[in-house]
Every structure is written in structure tokens, then in C-alpha cells.
Amino acid sequence: MSRVINFSAGPAALPLEVLEQAKAEMPDWQGSGMSVMEVSHRSKAFIAVAEQAEADLRDLLGISDDYAVMFLQGGATQQFALMPMNLAQPGDSVDYLVTGSWSKKAAKEAAVVRTLNVVADGADSSYTDVPAFDTWRLDANAAYFHYTPNETIGGVEIHEPPQVGAVPIVADMSSTILSRPIDVDRFGAIYAGAQKNIGPAGLTIVIMRRDLLERVPDDVPNILRYKSHADGGSMLNTPPTFAWYLAGLVFQWLKGQGGIAAIAAQNQAKADLLYNAIDASGFYANPVAKPYRSWMNVPFTLAKPDLDGAFLTQAEAAGLMNLKGHRSVGGMRASIYNAMPIGGVQTLVDFMAEFERTNA
Ligand code: PMP
């Protein structure tokens, strides 16, 4: 078997131990003579898996019983629409901070159903910086404040939740969840597509303060109501059972790594290693303002963009895959989520130094 070093932004690398366990359990799960994909979501055995996954996620992130945890479908993109539908009444205004492609998409979708107030927009810096807090036009009467703590494409990360007074904070944590400790109590709602730090695509985690579940207007259909999903144990209909099971294995793996504080230390070391190598070189550059550099997605450019193709070809030949930057920004991007070992980042840094030596 040969595994590459996978820098994909998502779906992203999963821990090999998790894949091996799923493989071993696949044909005959827990002695059932069936795979976990082939059992009823309402069976005792699957309910136990589902409950354990939720308990482990609560443990890892320190989620209190004041919050509901939901295992849903639809991706983060569906939550772009459901958050304003569930948390704001018709006529309410919602605050959005725009720091890159994903928060922009979230804001655009919110504007379809509610009144949008863009608090600040980082367009002036081409989304390489976050507008200064004293320029934000916060609305104290907003139904909620939405932001994207980590912009997966631009590599802009806001490391602490902003101070927005009593307005509940809603955060799209798709590409940062489980990468570092967070104080869940600072948030009204957190959502994340699974396909980076949680598990396979097809599963979406929503964590929501229980009082906010009650806000849902009467005209929202049942299947689109967070309250119904929370009350129904995320089993209003058939949930993505395999993805839920696999997420549970990832949560167990994370606990085995020492939990979130331990993984955060690794993530910081990985990010430091890569940013230090970029900053020390005259050949590579990262455009993001230093206080907002992402721990998870590191975009970088080459001093000679005509060498981008050669860089990618030689990287692939060295087993370093999926380093091409998003089509909207170009250049390179290394996504270094939890499952990327520091050795993988070291191999990239060594490759970059050698490429610079032979091409600069
Ligand atoms: N938000 C962020 C921050 C993302 O990175 C992504 C996907 N890369 C999305 C939203 C969209 O997620 P999904 O494809 O799960 O809808």
C-alpha cells in the first residue's frame, strides 16, 4: 500500500488508523454479519454509535447541555440558508462579517431570506486582512452576528471570537472545528461540513444553544427546522449513517491523540514550520496579515508564477498531492488539517527548499 501526503482542502486526508479500523470492521461490524452501512439507523447498535459520537464530540469541545448537537446533511452550504430562516424572523436584520469567499456566500444566501447588514468587508485588502474592529457597523438589534472563523480559500483565520455584545454569534467552522480549543459558550451556533476535520463528506455538524432553537418562525417546513432535528435526535429521516460512524472513529482517534489541546499544539507547530519556511525564503510568499494567518489552510505564491506548473508536477512526483491553490486565487495552498502529521509538513518544507535552490 502506498499513501500520498494529501494537502487537499476538502474532502481532506483522514487519519490512516481510522481508515484501517473502518476497513477491518467493514464486512462484519460488531459481529452483526453486516457492515455499519447495512443496519437500521434505529437499531440499538447504531443508536449506541450515534450517541457515543455525540458524547465524544461534547467531551472534545466541552459542549454543555445548554447546547443541542445535530448530525445533519446538506453541507455547510445548506446552513447558509437555514441559519437565517431559523434564527431570524421575517423583517429582522442579520449581521455578517465578510472576510473571504465563504463568508461572502453565506451573506449572499442570508440576503435571500432576511435583511442583510454587512458589518465590514475585507475586499479592500483582497481578503488578506480583516477590517479593523473599530470600522465594523454592528447592529445591536441584529438577530445574530455571523462570521467565518477560518476562510478555507484565502487562509484568513480569526483566532478569537469577536466581541459583539449580546447578539448571538453564529460561526461557520467548517475548516477550523476541532483544530484548537474553543469556548462554545461564546457562540449561539456553530456549524461545519464534516469533510475536513470530522470525517467524510455528507455529514454536517450543527451545535446550537437550545433557547435559539425556539426562534424558528411558523412558516419554516419541518425538515428545515433545527428544533425538529434536535428534538428528533437528528433522525427525522435517515441520517448519513456511515459518515456519522466514521466521524465517531475520528473523535475517538482525537481523544487518543490527547484531545483538542494536544492536537492544537501539533497544529500550531505545523503552521509555524510552514510559515517560517515561507517567510525565511525570498521565493515563496504568503499574502495574509500575520495576526490572521490560518493554522489549517496556508496559501502561498512563487516569485515566478510561470513555475507553478513545474512546482506542482515535481511535488506530485514526490508524493505531495493537491497543492494547487483555489482557482479564484491561484498559486498554491497547503491544507494541514488534524490528520496531517508534522512529518508531512516537514517533507513539504524540504521539497520547497530544494525547488527554490534549483529554480530561484
Ligand atoms: N464554508 C467553508 C468555510 C468551507 O470551507 C466550505 C467548503 N470548502 C463550505 C462552507 C461549503 O461546504 P459544503 O461543501 O459542505 O457545503
Side-chain angles (χ1 to χ4, degrees), residues 208-258:
M208 187 171 284
R209 223 172 64 204
R210 291 190 196 276
D211 61 300
L212 297 177
L213 295 169
E214 308 297 333
R215 282 191 181 184
V216 59
D218 290 341
D219 66 351
V220 176
N222 197 40
I223 194 68
L224 304 182
R225 301 167 84 90
Y226 289 121
K227 179 164 169 45
S228 305
H229 285 288
D231 289 349
S234 305
M235 292 202 189
L236 279 188
N237 64 333
T238 315
T241 50
F242 184 74
W244 194 333
Y245 150 83
L246 211 90
L249 298 187
V250 171
F251 300 155
Q252 289 279 328
W253 174 83
L254 269 172
K255 286 184 145 183
Q257 299 293 300

Side-chain angles (χ1 to χ4, degrees), residues 61-86:
L61 288 178
I63 306 169
S64 79
D65 199 45
D66 294 342
Y67 289 77
V69 174
M70 290 162 263
F71 290 75
L72 306 178
Q73 307 184 50
T77 305
Q78 183 162 295
Q79 317 320 309
F80 292 173
L82 296 190
M83 288 292 163
M85 286 170 72
N86 277 261

Side-chain angles (χ1 to χ4, degrees), residues 10-11 14 46 49-50 53-54 57 69-79 172-175 177-178 190-207 229 233-235 237-251:
L14 287 163
F46 187 80
V49 166
E54 177 177 335
L57 181 62
V69 174
M70 290 162 263
F71 290 75
L72 306 178
Q73 307 184 50
T77 305
Q78 183 162 295
Q79 317 320 309
D172 173 3
M173 291 205 184
S174 293
S175 50
I177 195 164
L178 296 168
I190 291 168
Y191 63 97
Q195 62 271 21
K196 297 142 191 334
N197 265 344
I198 296 171
L203 173 70
T204 312
I205 302 279
V206 177
I207 302 163
H229 285 288
S234 305
M235 292 202 189
N237 64 333
T238 315
T241 50
F242 184 74
W244 194 333
Y245 150 83
L246 211 90
L249 298 187
V250 171
F251 300 155

Side-chain angles (χ1 to χ4, degrees), residues 9-11 74-80 101-103 105-106 148-153 172-176 191-196 201-204 297 326 333 337:
T77 305
Q78 183 162 295
Q79 317 320 309
F80 292 173
S101 314
W102 291 111
S103 45
K105 282 193 178 153
T148 306
N150 187 65
E151 283 284 356
T152 320
I153 294 173
D172 173 3
M173 291 205 184
S174 293
S175 50
T176 180
Y191 63 97
Q195 62 271 21
K196 297 142 191 334
L203 173 70
T204 312
N297 310 97
H326 191 270
R333 171 177 50 170
Y337 300 115

Side-chain angles (χ1 to χ4, degrees), residues 96-100 104 118-125 127 129 131 137:
Y96 276 67
L97 175 67
V98 176
T99 52
K104 201 173 187 170
V118 174
V119 165
D121 188 320
D124 287 350
S125 70
Y127 300 111
D129 202 352
R137 294 170 301 269

